[in-house]
Amino acid sequence: MLLVVLTFVILLLLNVPIAFTLGIAGIMYFLTQASVPLPVVVQRMITGTQSYPLLAVPFFILAGHIMNASGITSRLMKLADALTGHMAGGLAQASIVLSMLMGGVSGSSNADVAMETRILLPEMRKKRYSDGFSAAVLAFGSLTTAIIPPSIGLVLYGFVGQVSIGKLLMAGIIPGILMGLVMMFTTYLYAKKRGYDTDDRIKRKSFGELIIAVKDSIWALLFPVILVVTIRFGIFTATEASAFAVVYAFLVGKFIYRELDWVKLKASLKDSAEDNAMILLIISMAAVVSYVLAYEKVPVKLASFIVGISENPYIIMGTIIVFLLIAGMLMEGTVNILLLTPIFLPIITKAGFDPVHFGIIMAIMVQIGGVTPPVGVNMYTVCSLGNIPIENFVKESLPYLLALIIIIIIIVAFPQISLFLPGLIR
């Protein structure tokens, strides 16, 4: 087992792609353990992807790409600007609102931050926002996209932990909105202090202009509503809803907005195939490592260690949160969910916490890992696309990181924030 850990750490430090890091580390165990036959590796890779609920992931990814190609993003941007353009730091505020709206479209924070960086960063520079501030707003604001449904991370958590995906998707709505509002408040304080967009000549959009913006983006706004309602009333399972999302995205883009042509559809299919290939390769390799961890009884040993620290459920939760924060700094979010959910979910359930409640906490903690060094995927995305030094990002991101930690504390202390809407499902 020590050889597996050393192999994993060395490959991680060498920046080997995470799927191959997991696969090679897992295979090392089978090569050194004569009691476990090598063909088990292939069996675990295949069975790791054989799941009906897992079908929701490729469908939601495809729906997101088709919606982005259908002109939905530009319409949502106009709505976000109409809602917040008059506020201090108006463009930064609009980027956070856009991420919240995009949560109902793409389900991927990394896709959202890449898109917004290309669109909004040049405009932020024209308004003389500092690069570090702009990068922090774009990266942290994008995290709401992965919490508000359809969230790919929550689907994977539900798949691995055998937790209701429908309840998880509903549970993400209020915490996701809360995250957005807290980050907007943080941005307001930041902008006021630095004088970003504080000119009194910036007028609030009229009611008529706001209605026009809502009307233009109504089909995009209806999607998450339809998603939640159909799951709530048992019309669709989460997997069926994801397939419906693809049909919905195609019909809106082709026949309502009339911006989806064959070239854009072909590009959407190609991009979604690449994204799904990456995710499913990680899932199949993680299944090998998960088998090794289970075979070596690592979850049982770690559970005994954590419970041995204290029997207080909040200390147990705090310990796991700290572990998730550290793990998020070292490993990509998808890997953390696939590997750590089977380990921590039984512990947290035994401590008396609801698995849906913990799913939201875990999803947020995993997302925090995307904006913290040394393996912050969202951080590297915005900094590389904008040619912004990492140290500038880290310095300006501290208030947002503090805001997210406060949100985690609030959600732990008040479980109904995440459990109220799922409680409506019978």
Side-chain angles (χ1 to χ4, degrees):
M1 191 64 190
L2 179 60
L3 180 61
V4 175
V5 174
L6 288 175
T7 302
F8 181 83
V9 172
I10 292 172
L11 293 177
L12 200 64
L13 293 174
L14 292 175
N15 288 323
V16 175
I18 191 65
F20 295 107
T21 297
L22 289 168
I24 294 171
I27 289 173
M28 289 300 295
Y29 178 83
F30 290 90
L31 292 175
T32 56
Q33 292 290 325
S35 60
V36 185
L38 192 59
V40 172
V41 174
V42 179
Q43 294 173 2
R44 298 312 304 175
M45 288 175 62
I46 295 173
T47 56
T49 59
Q50 303 299 300
S51 169
Y52 175 71
L54 193 61
L55 279 173
V57 174
F59 279 129
F60 276 136
I61 289 175
L62 177 57
H65 279 293
I66 293 176
M67 286 187 170
N68 284 335
S70 301
I72 287 177
T73 301
S74 60
R75 289 171 171 82
L76 291 178
M77 183 64 227
K78 291 178 182 177
L79 175 59
D81 182 62
L83 291 170
T84 63
H86 60 282
M87 300 171 62
L91 190 56
Q93 302 282 15
S95 75
I96 297 172
V97 173
L98 178 58
S99 292
M100 294 168 69
L101 296 174
M102 288 298 292
V105 176
S106 72
S108 168
S109 62
N110 190 245
D112 178 68
V113 73
M115 177 273 296
E116 289 198 29
T117 300
R118 294 186 183 98
I119 296 173
L120 296 178
L121 185 58
E123 297 301 317
M124 289 178 168
R125 282 171 168 161
K126 288 180 183 178
K127 287 181 172 287
R128 300 184 184 277
Y129 292 6
S130 73
D131 277 356
F133 169 75
S134 299
V137 169
L138 291 168
F140 277 83
S142 72
L143 303 189
T144 60
T145 306
I147 307 300
I148 297 174
S151 164
I152 304 302
L154 290 177
V155 172
L156 291 176
Y157 171 86
F159 157 67
V160 176
Q162 298 298 297
V163 181
S164 169
I165 294 175
K167 289 187 176 183
L168 285 167
L169 293 179
M170 292 192 74
I173 296 174
I174 296 177
I177 293 173
L178 177 63
M179 285 173 63
L181 293 176
V182 170
M183 282 187 280
M184 287 179 70
F185 179 71
T186 305
T187 299
Y188 175 82
L189 297 178
Y190 232 133
K192 270 288 188 181
K193 181 179 179 180
R194 298 190 177 186
Y196 295 150
D197 291 336
T198 54
D199 194 327
D200 291 336
R201 291 173 295 180
I202 301 176
K203 301 296 183 182
R204 182 192 297 267
K205 291 289 192 298
S206 68
F207 182 73
E209 290 174 311
L210 182 58
I211 291 298
I212 292 173
V214 171
K215 183 180 177 181
D216 286 344
S217 56
I218 189 65
W219 292 103
L221 298 175
L222 277 176
F223 171 63
V225 176
I226 294 173
L227 182 73
V228 170
V229 169
T230 53
I231 293 175
R232 161 66 181 87
F233 289 100
I235 300 172
F236 293 141
T237 64
T239 305
E240 292 165 345
S242 67
F244 168 77
V246 176
V247 177
Y248 181 88
F250 176 79
L251 293 177
V252 169
K254 184 67 176 177
F255 299 107
I256 298 177
Y257 291 156
R258 297 183 179 180
E259 293 187 20
L260 183 65
D261 54 26
W262 170 246
V263 174
K264 291 181 179 179
L265 179 60
K266 185 178 178 181
S268 297
L269 291 168
K270 177 178 177 293
D271 291 341
S272 63
E274 291 175 352
D275 289 346
N276 283 311
M278 176 186 67
I279 291 174
L280 291 174
L281 181 60
I282 291 174
I283 290 173
S284 63
M285 294 301 183
V288 177
V289 178
S290 295
Y291 177 86
V292 172
L293 294 175
Y295 191 82
E296 287 289 325
K297 299 182 179 179
V298 172
V300 176
K301 295 174 183 176
L302 188 58
S304 300
F305 171 74
I306 293 176
V307 173
I309 295 175
S310 173
E311 294 184 358
N312 186 305
Y314 288 99
I315 294 179
I316 293 173
M317 174 67 85
T319 303
I320 290 175
I321 287 174
V322 171
F323 194 98
L324 287 172
L325 179 62
I326 296 171
M329 293 179 178
L330 300 175
M331 293 189 295
E332 195 267 333
T334 302
V335 179
N336 278 322
I337 290 176
L338 294 172
L339 291 184
L340 300 181
T341 296
I343 296 175
F344 290 140
L345 187 55
I347 301 173
I348 216 70
T349 304
K350 189 176 181 180
F353 291 97
D354 189 285
V356 173
H357 179 213
F358 178 65
I360 300 302
I361 294 170
M362 185 171 190
I364 296 174
M365 292 307 302
V366 163
Q367 288 301 309
I368 290 176
V371 289
T372 50
V375 189
V377 178
N378 292 18
M379 173 186 70
Y380 286 122
T381 297
V382 67
C383 288
S384 61
L385 289 175
N387 196 25
I388 299 170
I390 297 295
E391 55 268 24
N392 290 7
F393 172 91
V394 173
K395 180 181 177 182
E396 301 276 16
S397 69
L398 294 179
Y400 292 97
L401 183 59
L402 177 61
L404 284 180
I405 292 173
I406 291 173
I407 289 171
I408 285 291
I409 293 172
I410 292 173
I411 293 176
V412 171
F414 301 98
Q416 281 305 111
I417 292 175
S418 55
L419 294 179
F420 172 72
L421 291 180
L424 300 177
I425 300 180
R426 299 302 177 190

